[in-house]
Amino acid sequence: MESPDRLNIAALFRRELSRFPRAVALELEDHLAESIDAQLALGKSLSEAREAALKTLGDLGELARDLRSTPSDPIWGGLRMPWQLRLLSLGWVAFGLICLSRVCTESNPTYLTIAGSLFFGLSGSAVGLSVLRRREVLRRWALRFSVGLGLVLVAKSLLVHSAPAILPVAPWVMPVMAAGALLSAWGLSRPGIRNAFL
Amino acid sequence: MKINKDLVAASATPIILTLLQEGESYGYAIIQRVRELSEGEVIWTDGMLYPILHRLESQGLISARWGESESGRKRKYYRLEAPAKEAIDDERRQWNTMNLILARLWNPQTA
């Protein structure tokens, strides 16, 4: 009999858990692992334990619907809005995208342009993603895309256009960027923040 | 005797809040505690617990933190927050009132 400690619960229930947001899937994985542990202790086979664990969890479609209607996510949950604000947020997203495009089109953008573009672009994306919250896969990919786009734009702006002229007179740029990278790495190491992104 | 579904659903919130008064806990352990307390009379579908926990979290009655199980798996622990005390008192008053009304109806001589 294989111990559930060594079982890959995520792989065992990949299809069933794919409909849930990452944080909920992690919570359900732990629940299913405990449940399988109890079933195996009763002498059931792994496939019997798997079926029993799923059965006690109930209708997963209904659970997914119930969870979607519950604003539980600490980052996105608080951003759920009525339709008027959603329309407004879509306008914000459009404005953010225009701002981001300025960084691409300007040959030598100022720090103000970069900061403003990133602020409006990323915050606009964040608000827009809350609208997409009901489409979990879209939300994840849109978030990855916006973070990736932001990083590419920063690299393009700082390294290609601005850095050669700025670095000699602004030695604080690299330490600030390094601190930002460390802060980002620390943030992504925190489960609550990481789960919102991955 | 099995408790009917509507009554189980209505009592879930006060049961969860009161159980968390015993200390921090997580989904599977809460379900097991309910089974133990009800001696099998109350059948909770395990999945019904999570929307309730998440709703209570969004209402600020409980908070959650990610920890690890003994086997190193990620586990979400819940605990009561200060406003929960008032909510539990309120639930207790409501359930006592309903209990009193039904007791008077069903046992008019003793009530």
Side-chain angles (χ1 to χ4, degrees), chain A residues 94-116:
Chain A
F95 182 61
L97 288 176
I98 292 167
C99 287
L100 279 176
S101 70
R102 284 193 62 194
V103 184
C104 290
T105 53
E106 284 195 17
S107 59
N108 193 11
T110 62
Y111 275 113
L112 193 62
T113 308
I114 295 169

Side-chain angles (χ1 to χ4, degrees), chain A residues 7 13 17 40-41 50 95 110 113 126 133 136 145 164 178 187 190:
Chain A
L7 284 175
F13 295 97
L17 294 177
L40 291 176
R50 182 186 181 284
F95 182 61
T110 62
T113 308
R133 188 167 178 263
E136 184 59 27
F145 175 76
R190 312 305 302 165

Side-chain angles (χ1 to χ4, degrees), chain A residues 67-83:
Chain A
L67 286 168
R68 270 200 300 270
S69 63
T70 307
S72 61
D73 191 308
I75 292 177
W76 307 109
L79 289 174
R80 296 179 73 199
M81 297 169 285
W83 67 269

Side-chain angles (χ1 to χ4, degrees), chain A residues 27 30-31 34 56 63 71, chain B residues 46-47 50 54 58 73 75 78:
Chain A
E27 188 172 21
D30 179 49
H31 185 105
E34 291 269 294
T56 55
L63 176 58
Chain B
D46 292 9
Y50 292 99
H54 292 193
S58 73
R73 184 170 282 112
R75 175 168 287 167
Y78 295 92

Side-chain angles (χ1 to χ4, degrees), chain A residues 53-147:
Chain A
L54 274 179
K55 194 176 170 189
T56 55
L57 203 52
D59 183 341
L60 293 182
E62 192 180 333
L63 176 58
R65 280 191 298 278
D66 286 350
L67 286 168
R68 270 200 300 270
S69 63
T70 307
S72 61
D73 191 308
I75 292 177
W76 307 109
L79 289 174
R80 296 179 73 199
M81 297 169 285
W83 67 269
Q84 294 93 334
L85 282 179
R86 288 182 185 210
L87 273 181
L88 192 65
S89 73
L90 288 176
W92 191 0
V93 174
F95 182 61
L97 288 176
I98 292 167
C99 287
L100 279 176
S101 70
R102 284 193 62 194
V103 184
C104 290
T105 53
E106 284 195 17
S107 59
N108 193 11
T110 62
Y111 275 113
L112 193 62
T113 308
I114 295 169
S117 300
L118 286 176
F119 172 76
F120 284 114
L122 295 180
S123 61
S125 301
V127 176
L129 291 171
S130 73
V131 178
L132 297 175
R133 188 167 178 263
R134 286 176 181 275
R135 301 282 180 272
E136 184 59 27
V137 174
L138 267 181
R139 183 182 75 80
R140 278 187 210 166
W141 279 104
L143 188 52
R144 288 168 183 165
F145 175 76
S146 66
V147 170

